[in-house]
Amino acid sequence: MKDAGLSGHELAARCGWHKSKSSRIARGKTPPSDADIRAWCVACGSEDQAADIIAASRNAESMYVEWKQIHRDGMRRIHERTVPLYQRTRSFRVYASNVMPGMLQTVGYATGLLKTIAAFQGTPDDVADAVRARIDRSRVIREGDHRFGLLLEETVLYYRVSDDAAMAEQLEHLLTIMGQPNVSLGIIPARAHRTVWPLEAFYAFDDQQVAVETLTAEINLTAPGEIRTYLRAFSELSQTAVRGAPARALIAKALDAVG
């Protein structure tokens, strides 16, 4: 509205609304309908933004959720609640810059990681139940019609979030899982020349949703424009990654370093 140089009264007139309606929407007092958003965008000459704004409006409550809220009763429930999302997703594209993606984690690795998270966040410690729920959710990588495009920064292979035995088991599991026909695992070498800088970890579920993980919150993106940006980043990061024998060599090198 400001970019278009319109006042609230002028915008209401263009939309055929009472002037109080545009004021209530602008102040966040009344949630806009999809039709309201389209009319608003047309009035401002910004029809191209309607789809993204509608998606953001529909998912406003779940778009940015703090971990302390998600984990207020422990971590098991969030794993169980996301099972339907994992089951209906046909194509996963995952970029990991800090820890192994959840669907790749072994029991030992997941236990070490979730213990650290519970302690740092000060949330209820239901680690054993949460690990079981995470492993159960991860069955999608072995069952059903799902494809996985997975990208790991090489440094992920070295971050010790569990003890040495669990780290070794996790790396060996990685060597096994990358042989599955539905899995494409790429590792971005630490010394690779980059066209995209290291990003926050994100999970793309088909082309419908992207979950971005920050220190304090999970951000769920459904706006088409934002999803396209993350998928573009995934595509460019993919070009930097190595696969097959070179990727196995990097994993073997990390495995030797466990000692």
Side-chain angles (χ1 to χ4, degrees), residues 84-185:
L85 171 62
Y86 276 62
Q87 290 179 337
R88 68 174 177 264
T89 298
R90 303 271 69 81
S91 176
F92 293 80
R93 278 159 287 190
V94 180
Y95 167 75
S97 55
N98 43 25
V99 298
M100 296 284 175
M103 70 272 294
L104 295 181
Q105 292 175 14
T106 60
V107 171
Y109 185 96
T111 299
L113 176 61
L114 296 187
K115 280 184 177 179
T116 302
I117 292 173
F120 184 83
Q121 294 180 348
T123 51
D125 185 347
D126 66 341
V127 169
D129 290 337
V131 168
R132 282 192 290 272
R134 172 166 290 193
I135 298 301
D136 185 61
R137 187 183 66 181
S138 299
R139 290 188 302 176
V140 293
I141 204 166
R142 302 183 304 276
E143 302 174 357
D145 180 23
H146 309 278
R147 301 184 309 279
F148 295 83
L150 308 170
L151 293 177
L152 278 62
E153 296 284 351
E154 183 183 359
T155 48
V156 172
L157 306 177
Y158 292 90
Y159 292 143
R160 303 292 181 93
V161 300
S162 58
D163 60 36
D164 287 354
M167 281 299 301
E169 180 186 33
Q170 176 64 67
L171 293 170
E172 289 168 352
H173 176 67
L174 202 59
L175 288 169
T176 299
I177 208 75
M178 67 185 294
Q180 291 187 189
N182 64 326
V183 175
S184 172
L185 175 66

Side-chain angles (χ1 to χ4, degrees), residues 202-217:
F202 64 86
Y203 290 67
F205 302 92
D206 292 321
D207 58 355
Q208 302 299 309
Q209 177 179 334
V210 173
V212 183
E213 298 181 341
T214 72
L215 175 64
T216 57

